[in-house]
Amino acid sequence: MIKIAPSMLSCDFSAMANEAKSIENAGADVLHLDVMDGVFVPNISFGIPVIASLRPHTALAFDVHLMITEPERYIERFIEAGADWISVHFEACADIGIALDTIRLNGKRVGLAIKPATPAESIFPYLDRCDYILVMTVEPGFGGQALIPETLDKVRILRGELDRRGLTQVSVEVDGGINEKTAPQAIAAGADILVAGSSIFSAADRRAAIKNLRGEEK
């Protein structure tokens, strides 16, 4: 089943609690939270206090995407704040193994993310230690960008390798430029979790937008 993870980066920050509840009521599967430090990516979003304050307002699992340097230093604090899924960037970790193990030992879903320029093969050694792989389909840092078509080749490569190794339980998540047009392309390439921001939060009917991304009829 295709899961939809609306990105709170595109919500109304002055009403995050209401926005989270709206997305939950619209049928989202998880809530995607992009954490940016202004160092690993050229933008700053929100961090641990915001996630902790948002946690009581929705029953949705929190899919926390750490776009920060040396994320292993902060993983346990994000878990305390309410993270259920945590993805760290291959390019940002001082020790990838420690980062993945810390998430796993705390009983949370383990994700490993890669930027558009990073070859899919770079993370092959870690596939069996993950619950999901996050492929950035735009340059991380800002919402509202157009999907880079070549990134879907990495989705195909990763899905093929996961299937070849019998790791069919590992999901492939895509993040960036996902809308009604590009969602079918991502799904066809092998993605089963779609992160979408503006295409959901700007929709007049968010429930219909989520159904459209899944490929369901309105």
Side-chain angles (χ1 to χ4, degrees), residues 4 8 13 15 26 29 38 46 51 66-67 69 77 80 82 109 111 122 129 162 168-169 178 192 197 199 214:
I4 305 300
M8 292 295 284
F13 278 12
D29 297 288
F46 45 76
I51 291 173
L66 297 182
M67 288 182 272
T69 56
R77 291 178 62 192
E80 290 171 2
R109 289 181 62 81
S122 300
R129 300 173 69 173
L162 290 168
T168 55
Q169 78 283 2
I178 299 299
D192 50 8
S199 65
R214 285 201 189 100

Side-chain angles (χ1 to χ4, degrees), residues 162-194:
L162 290 168
D163 289 347
R164 186 187 71 79
R165 291 164 60 175
L167 299 173
T168 55
Q169 78 283 2
V170 179
S171 294
V172 178
E173 182 175 47
V174 289
D175 182 358
I178 299 299
N179 53 40
E180 191 172 349
K181 177 182 177 181
T182 59
Q185 300 169 13
I187 293 168
D192 50 8
I193 305 172
L194 308 181

Side-chain angles (χ1 to χ4, degrees), residues 23-45:
I23 287 303
E24 180 178 358
N25 292 339
D29 297 288
V30 297
L31 201 63
H32 190 81
L33 294 155
D34 289 302
V35 177
M36 306 179 189
D37 63 0
V39 179
F40 179 66
V41 294
N43 197 10
I44 296 173
S45 57

Side-chain angles (χ1 to χ4, degrees), residues 89-198:
H89 266 269
F90 170 77
E91 308 89 353
C93 292
D95 191 318
I96 296 173
I98 287 177
L100 301 181
D101 287 347
T102 300
I103 301 169
R104 177 75 67 201
L105 290 171
N106 280 279
K108 305 303 179 181
R109 289 181 62 81
V110 180
L112 184 58
I114 52 174
K115 297 168 73 172
T118 302
E121 293 81 2
S122 300
I123 62 170
F124 277 9
Y126 305 100
L127 296 182
D128 60 352
R129 300 173 69 173
C130 298
D131 295 304
Y132 64 106
I133 304 299
L134 172 52
V135 176
M136 290 300 302
T137 43
V138 298
E139 289 296 336
F142 297 92
Q145 300 181 64
L147 181 143
I148 302 169
E150 294 78 12
T151 59
L152 295 183
D153 292 335
K154 291 199 293 185
V155 175
R156 295 185 187 94
I157 291 168
L158 286 162
R159 176 51 64 198
E161 181 66 11
L162 290 168
D163 289 347
R164 186 187 71 79
R165 291 164 60 175
L167 299 173
T168 55
Q169 78 283 2
V170 179
S171 294
V172 178
E173 182 175 47
V174 289
D175 182 358
I178 299 299
N179 53 40
E180 191 172 349
K181 177 182 177 181
T182 59
Q185 300 169 13
I187 293 168
D192 50 8
I193 305 172
L194 308 181
V195 177
S198 53

